[in-house]
Amino acid sequence: IVWDDLGVDLLMVDEAQNFKNLYLPEAREGGVPRFMGNAGEGSQRAWQLDFRAAAVRRQTGGTGVVLLSATPAKNSPLEFYNLLQMVDPTAFTGMGIRDPEQFIDRYLRVELRQVVDTKMDVVEKGAVVGFQNLHELRDTLHRYSEFKTAEDVGLKLPEPTVRVIEVEMNAAQEAKYADYVSQ
């Protein structure tokens, strides 16, 4: 059985955030910006879903893809771009945005900042520090998306229990901590 031969006219995916790594950020001045996920080729499962979504849109004349997620963009704003590409790859092209890098340039403020890397060293890297043209981004997202809270759909969430557990540090840990704070 070949997917294209099935004639699927509706593709509905729950937990769509598991397919959000279609396009990943590229390195620019200061490397790959912090707070945007990792660089790379994208996940195989995201690409597989993208191909299937394209087949459904081809079958239906551009419709038929529905994505459901409680956490559509948890790690990077670029995840919104990736998910909307599966629903409608022309969602941003009318605004002159033809690839993920143009999306980043249009909607994200990336500046060189001192950040702590994975080795706990302070380095200067590009970092997402805010948004721009947010009204335009919101308009596009709301054209294709519906956002509901747990309360909107009648879900009662449990009350969180916060417990603070303090652990005594030894002298070496205290010195290292003080050094990190001073940096």
Side-chain angles (χ1 to χ4, degrees), residues 35-123:
F35 318 116
M36 259 194 4
N38 296 323
E41 297 297 316
S43 75
Q44 261 189 325
R45 70 174 154 188
W47 282 105
Q48 287 296 319
L49 180 59
D50 188 51
F51 293 138
R52 285 176 174 79
V56 170
R57 290 190 313 268
R58 187 171 46 252
Q59 173 80 14
T60 62
T63 62
V65 179
V66 178
L67 303 178
L68 307 168
S69 175
T71 55
K74 191 172 169 183
N75 299 316
S76 166
L78 193 55
E79 293 167 6
F80 282 127
Y81 177 85
N82 290 335
L83 291 174
L84 283 185
Q85 291 304 296
M86 292 186 203
V87 173
D88 182 359
T90 66
F92 292 104
T93 57
M95 295 175 281
I97 300 170
R98 303 201 186 307
D99 63 46
E101 291 304 308
Q102 290 178 337
F103 176 89
I104 291 167
D105 290 342
R106 178 81 151 252
Y107 297 119
L108 305 179
R109 278 196 0 245
V110 179
E111 297 175 2
L112 287 175
R113 292 283 174 96
Q114 287 190 338
V115 296
V116 178
D117 69 8
T118 55
K119 296 176 188 168
M120 297 303 289
D121 293 326
V122 176
V123 296

Side-chain angles (χ1 to χ4, degrees), residues 26-37:
E26 294 182 12
R28 47 184 62 214
E29 182 181 0
V32 174
R34 295 287 300 218
F35 318 116
M36 259 194 4

